[in-house]
Amino acid sequence: MIESEKLRAVIKEVQDESLPVIRLSRQLIAAFIGELDSAISELEMIMESIGENSIDDIPDTQIEYYCVKIPALMYYAGQRVEELGMQADLAASDNKLALNEALVKVSGTVIEKKAKAEKITEDKALVAAVYKRAYNMLKTKLDMAEKVYSGLKKALSKRIAETDLDRFSKDKYITKERSDDD
């Protein structure tokens, strides 16, 4: 039982220490993808408003709107993900350079030098990790937005097919009715 309490304490400590890093990462992402998040949230609210009802309750105009809006936002977010990727690369490079410089300056055995250099450069390593995670989170959000868009396209395509089928059936009925009258 004592071990599980110890583990809970360590987990709590990690959670507390990670809060500022998580906030920073979220700020980086929000700056790059805030509008897309808003559009997905709007769509989610629409889905929640219909509850367990059919997706057919969502007006065509709203589905069409999001079928245009989401890819447009993804277009710009895709550019931004590459910018964030460049920043992540630069942060990693900066960290590596600082680590190498610190290794030259410190003394001791190889293991001691490495430990001292890593301690000196831990802030830069943390920044590099934040950028890497933010980049990965942003890419994941874009992948998920693509899936939302794909679902919207399918729903819209289904509606178009049903409308075409309905129109075709009515045209066939009208044509048959006219030929019966002749």
Side-chain angles (χ1 to χ4, degrees):
M1 195 70 160
I2 295 173
E3 288 183 24
S4 65
E5 288 176 19
K6 222 180 211 181
L7 288 174
R8 283 189 197 108
V10 171
I11 289 169
K12 173 84 170 108
E13 183 181 327
V14 169
Q15 288 173 338
D16 291 345
E17 288 178 11
S18 67
L19 277 175
V21 174
I22 290 170
R23 277 192 216 113
L24 177 59
S25 182
R26 286 181 182 161
Q27 287 172 351
L28 284 171
I29 292 169
F32 285 98
I33 203 163
E35 288 181 76
L36 183 58
D37 279 343
S38 293
I40 300 292
S41 293
E42 291 166 13
L43 191 55
E44 186 178 14
M45 284 190 287
I46 292 168
M47 293 299 294
E48 286 177 10
S49 72
I50 65 169
E52 295 294 320
N53 297 334
S54 172
I55 195 167
D56 293 336
D57 292 341
I58 300 174
D60 291 350
T61 55
Q62 282 188 317
I63 292 179
E64 290 169 2
Y65 173 76
Y66 287 105
C67 274
V68 173
K69 184 173 185 172
I70 289 174
L73 294 172
M74 287 173 61
Y75 172 82
Y76 293 109
Q79 178 183 354
R80 293 180 185 132
V81 78
E82 289 306 316
E83 292 169 6
L84 188 59
M86 284 187 272
Q87 290 172 336
D89 291 345
L90 286 172
S93 177
D94 189 34
N95 176 48
K96 188 174 182 178
L97 180 64
L99 184 63
N100 287 338
E101 288 175 358
L103 281 169
V104 170
K105 292 179 184 176
V106 295
S107 61
T109 66
V110 173
I111 294 173
E112 290 171 340
K113 287 178 77 158
K114 185 176 180 188
K116 289 176 186 177
E118 286 176 353
K119 179 71 175 159
I120 292 169
T121 61
E122 67 186 356
D123 288 345
K124 290 191 182 279
L126 187 58
V127 168
V130 166
Y131 272 102
K132 181 180 179 186
R133 296 293 172 222
Y135 173 80
N136 290 340
M137 288 167 56
L138 188 55
K139 291 230 4 137
T140 299
K141 281 181 172 261
L142 280 174
D143 290 344
M144 294 299 109
E146 178 64 38
K147 290 179 183 190
V148 169
Y149 170 64
S150 179
L152 287 170
K153 280 192 329 186
K154 285 178 184 177
L156 192 56
S157 294
K158 177 184 173 226
R159 288 184 184 193
I160 291 168
E162 287 172 352
T163 302
D164 288 348
L165 183 61
D166 188 43
R167 187 179 315 128
F168 175 74
S169 295
K170 285 179 184 175
D171 288 347
K172 188 175 181 181
Y173 178 75
I174 291 170
T175 305
K176 184 177 185 219
E177 202 173 76
R178 286 184 188 157
S179 66
D180 288 344
D181 289 343
D182 291 338

